[in-house]
Amino acid sequence: MGNDYFYLVHKWGNDLNPLRKYLMWFFKSFENLLILTFLISLTLTLMVPNGMFSKHNNSQETIMILFFMFKSVAAVILFYGFAMGKNFNSAIWNSKYFNA
């Protein structure tokens, strides 16, 4: 047909990058999404400058910052998920038509 449109079924499916499977792993289940949320909050916690809240940085302060970062990142992810109408249901990913 032209313009990279094909009549034949065996030509379909080459438009997606294989890296997308690994990028979307976090959205396959709620547990994976929690892992992503924790990793993002841990990264943001490590980006907070030392001595920002007190003169002496200790582990209790770091844990509290991690806790509040986790809550804020989880709130943003939940807001985005509900506002955009995303469905994080694992049954969708377990389709009989998905052969990856």
Side-chain angles (χ1 to χ4, degrees):
M1 283 178 48
N3 229 8
D4 286 334
Y5 293 116
F6 302 103
Y7 283 125
L8 304 175
V9 175
H10 74 278
K11 298 275 187 171
W12 294 359
N14 294 329
D15 56 343
L16 296 179
N17 191 348
L19 182 63
R20 186 173 181 178
K21 176 182 178 182
Y22 301 111
L23 290 175
M24 294 297 124
W25 179 79
F26 292 109
F27 302 106
K28 286 181 88 167
S29 70
F30 184 70
E31 293 82 13
N32 295 349
L33 188 62
L34 281 178
I35 292 170
L36 175 69
T37 306
F38 181 76
L39 291 176
I40 291 173
S41 61
L42 185 64
T43 304
L44 290 174
T45 300
L46 295 175
M47 293 173 68
V48 172
N50 290 337
M52 184 172 179
F53 298 108
S54 67
K55 294 198 185 276
H56 304 288
N57 194 8
N58 55 17
S59 61
Q60 293 172 347
E61 181 180 330
T62 306
I63 291 171
M64 287 302 288
I65 293 172
L66 177 64
F67 176 69
F68 283 108
M69 285 292 183
F70 182 79
K71 287 190 338 182
S72 61
V73 170
V76 169
I77 289 175
L78 284 175
F79 177 75
Y80 173 74
F82 287 120
M84 300 302 283
K86 300 294 180 187
N87 191 352
F88 300 111
N89 188 354
S90 60
I92 293 172
W93 295 91
N94 295 331
S95 173
K96 67 180 180 178
Y97 302 108
F98 185 64
N99 294 326

